[in-house]
Amino acid sequence: MSDQKNIIGTRIKAARKVKGLTQRELGLQVNLDQAFLSRVENGTSTPAPDQLNVIAQTLGVSVGYLFGTDEQEGGLSEETVELALKIQQLAPQQRAAVRQLINTITS
């Protein structure tokens, strides 16, 4: 697996998760097969340039972000995206506790 394929796949997956989409849902929106998106996210396939444009637009990111040339997208750093993905995996009560902690710290 090439580094570029891995970067593209990792960034598509991160942006998709931030949007709260499954691979199937994203696939339906961009007219690509879920299995193909899985291969892209795993770094074994790469979308064509026109497909990358549609994916980027649908996810609200730039193509540069998907290629790893833009470190921030929409004001979100890699660290922020990573934290958001971790929080998303928590149980609802745990997410509420994190939200309360953040609200307390930032008040």
Side-chain angles (χ1 to χ4, degrees):
M1 153 173 37
S2 79
D3 288 340
Q4 190 62 55
K5 283 184 182 180
N6 192 35
I7 290 168
I8 291 169
T10 299
R11 294 223 171 173
I12 288 174
K13 182 177 184 177
R16 174 180 62 76
K17 288 192 171 204
V18 166
K19 284 283 199 180
L21 297 172
T22 65
Q23 288 176 342
R24 182 178 182 280
E25 291 167 334
L26 176 59
L28 289 172
Q29 291 184 27
V30 299
N31 199 30
L32 292 173
D33 184 68
Q34 180 272 329
F36 176 72
L37 285 174
S38 177
R39 290 191 304 274
V40 169
E41 289 184 3
N42 289 320
T44 58
S45 291
T46 305
D50 61 325
Q51 293 170 326
L52 276 173
N53 277 329
V54 173
I55 291 169
Q57 288 175 353
T58 301
L59 295 175
V61 298
S62 68
V63 174
Y65 171 78
L66 296 181
F67 275 99
T69 57
D70 295 344
E71 285 306 313
Q72 292 188 350
E73 185 59 45
L76 298 179
S77 67
E78 289 293 317
E79 181 182 24
T80 302
V81 171
E82 182 181 326
L83 288 170
L85 292 174
K86 287 180 180 179
I87 292 168
Q88 190 175 36
Q89 294 172 359
L90 298 174
Q93 288 179 322
Q94 293 171 316
R95 285 195 305 270
V98 170
R99 185 179 306 109
Q100 184 177 17
L101 175 63
I102 291 170
N103 288 338
T104 301
I105 292 170
T106 59
S107 300

